[in-house]
């Protein structure tokens, strides 16, 4: 069960509503980067990768956790053990495409860290990583869909969308003074909800990225952040000093910068 699924449980949801009051959110801003397609979830996940890459370039000492897409590759290797004969066939071609995607993305990421140039290859890489991550989040069936990890599955309009999203990022929001962790996880507590990970830890703030058209603090967003904080209180944050304290929770609404 993921953190998101856990928070959808009626008993858990009611408890969160009772004990954690959602703060007022009186914020208005211009939509600076409207989407060009309806691939909202895919672009959102792709931008999660892209922004973390950006943050790594700002904070060279940032600690990195394994990508969820790499964990998806591990799941594909374990497919023969996870599947019965009556379910999906084991396909070495899918594994090969997943390996090539990770290799391609790491090369594009490395070039970006060296040059600071976000080129077409980088944008394509994060869109492919977003496809692969769905295997980890949603299950092995995703890997058997048509055009999975094919270049033909990458929409040029989504690349332009990512380019716009990156162009409006304000570096001062993401420059750490002491510590920066990408994809922070919560020790043994993460395993309570099948490997929960947040997007960013910057100094004393846990930050989640939302690439959404609406500038609103949904109850589900707030509960997700509080869920991360609860996991932190149980298992701390992997890679952080033992005396590190989280004092703030934040959301970066990427389409509004």
């Amino acid at each position: 069960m993921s953190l998101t699924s856990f928070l959808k449980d009626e008993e858990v949801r009611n408890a969160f509503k009772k004990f954690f009051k959602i703060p007022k959110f009186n914020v208005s801003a211009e939509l600076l980067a409207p989407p060009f397609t309806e691939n909202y979830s895919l672009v959102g996940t792709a931008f999660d990768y892209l922004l973390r890459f950006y943050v790594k370039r700002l904070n060279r000492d940032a600690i990195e956790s394994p990508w969820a897409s790499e964990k998806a590759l591990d799941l594909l290797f374990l497919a023969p053990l996870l599947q019965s004969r009556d379910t999906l066939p084991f396909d070495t071609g899918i594994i090969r495409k997943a390996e090539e995607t990770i290799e391609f993305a790491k090369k594009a990421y490395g070039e970006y860290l060296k040059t600071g140039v976000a080129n077409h290859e980088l944008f394509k890489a994060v869109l492919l990583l977003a496809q692969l991550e769905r295997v980890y989040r949603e299950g092995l069936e995703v890997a058997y869909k048509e055009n999975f990890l094919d270049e033909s599955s990458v929409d040029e309009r989504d690349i332009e969308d990512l380019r716009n999203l990156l162009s409006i990022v304000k570096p001062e929001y993401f420059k750490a003074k002491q510590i920066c962790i990408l994809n922070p996880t919560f020790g043994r507590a993460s395993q309570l909800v099948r490997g929960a990970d947040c997007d960013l830890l910057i100094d004393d703030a846990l930050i989640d990225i939302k690439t959404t058209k609406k500038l609103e603090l949904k109850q589900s967003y707030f509960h997700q952040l509080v869920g991360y904080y609860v996991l932190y209180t149980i298992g701390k944050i992997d890679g952080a000093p033992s005396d590190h304290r989280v004092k703030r929770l934040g959301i970066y609404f990427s389409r509004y910068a």
Side-chain angles (χ1 to χ4, degrees):
M1 176 183 290
S2 66
L3 177 61
T4 304
S5 299
F6 179 70
L7 293 173
K8 288 179 180 178
D9 179 88
E10 184 177 1
E11 186 176 356
V12 174
R13 188 171 64 249
N14 290 338
F16 269 57
K17 286 181 182 178
K18 178 180 179 181
F19 292 106
F20 304 112
K21 302 302 180 183
I22 188 168
K24 292 182 179 180
F25 186 74
N26 299 319
V27 178
S28 61
E30 180 185 357
L31 178 63
L32 300 177
F36 295 149
T37 71
E38 294 183 358
N39 300 325
Y40 307 127
S41 178
L42 182 73
V43 172
T45 303
F47 186 70
D48 290 351
Y49 280 97
L50 189 60
L51 184 60
R52 290 195 296 265
F53 293 173
Y54 176 89
V55 172
K56 175 64 175 179
R57 193 164 193 281
L58 277 181
N59 303 279
R60 295 294 185 154
D61 294 331
I63 298 168
E64 297 185 83
S65 299
W67 301 340
S69 50
E70 292 179 289
K71 297 175 183 177
L73 177 58
D74 292 339
L75 280 179
L76 289 171
F77 273 114
L78 291 171
L81 301 177
L82 299 174
Q83 298 172 178
S84 71
R85 293 180 181 179
D86 297 328
T87 59
L88 300 169
F90 181 61
D91 190 333
T92 56
I94 290 175
I95 291 178
R96 184 170 62 253
K97 285 199 291 186
E99 288 178 315
E100 290 171 353
T101 294
I102 296 293
E103 183 180 354
F104 172 69
K106 286 188 178 292
K107 182 178 179 181
Y109 179 30
E111 285 296 314
Y112 173 66
L113 290 180
K114 284 193 296 184
T115 66
V117 176
N119 57 25
H120 188 274
E121 300 293 275
L122 183 71
F123 296 124
K124 183 169 70 172
V126 295
L127 284 165
L128 291 172
L129 289 177
Q131 285 189 42
L132 183 54
E133 179 167 325
R134 290 183 60 201
V135 174
Y136 178 69
R137 305 292 182 190
E138 301 173 29
L140 292 167
E141 294 81 3
V142 173
Y144 291 82
K145 292 187 176 181
E146 187 177 0
N147 297 329
F148 178 68
L149 298 182
D150 291 342
E151 287 197 21
S152 61
S153 67
V154 176
D155 193 318
E156 290 294 324
R157 295 171 298 172
D158 291 335
I159 287 181
E160 191 60 27
D161 190 2
L162 290 170
R163 195 185 304 277
N164 288 344
L165 287 164
L166 186 61
S167 72
I168 61 175
V169 175
K170 299 174 182 177
E172 60 269 26
Y173 287 176
F174 299 101
K175 183 66 176 175
K177 294 178 180 178
Q178 294 181 320
I179 186 171
C180 178
I181 299 179
L182 313 181
N183 269 130
T185 52
F186 307 98
R188 61 186 177 86
S190 281
Q191 302 311 312
L192 297 175
V193 285
R194 220 193 85 185
D197 57 327
C198 191
D199 285 320
L200 295 167
L201 173 76
I202 297 182
D203 295 325
D204 63 359
L206 275 175
I207 300 170
D208 200 36
I209 305 165
K210 296 297 182 189
T211 303
T212 175
K213 291 188 295 182
K214 292 185 178 181
L215 185 62
E216 60 181 344
L217 181 58
K218 291 183 178 180
Q219 193 167 66
S220 59
Y221 297 170
F222 178 61
H223 286 176
Q224 185 179 17
L225 278 174
V226 173
Y228 290 139
Y229 184 79
V230 170
L231 294 175
Y232 149 74
T233 64
I234 297 170
K236 302 301 182 184
I237 294 178
D238 294 318
S242 59
D243 60 349
H244 177 268
R245 296 292 180 268
V246 171
K247 299 179 181 179
R248 297 179 294 151
L249 304 174
I251 295 175
Y252 175 65
F253 289 95
S254 56
R255 295 198 179 278
Y256 294 82

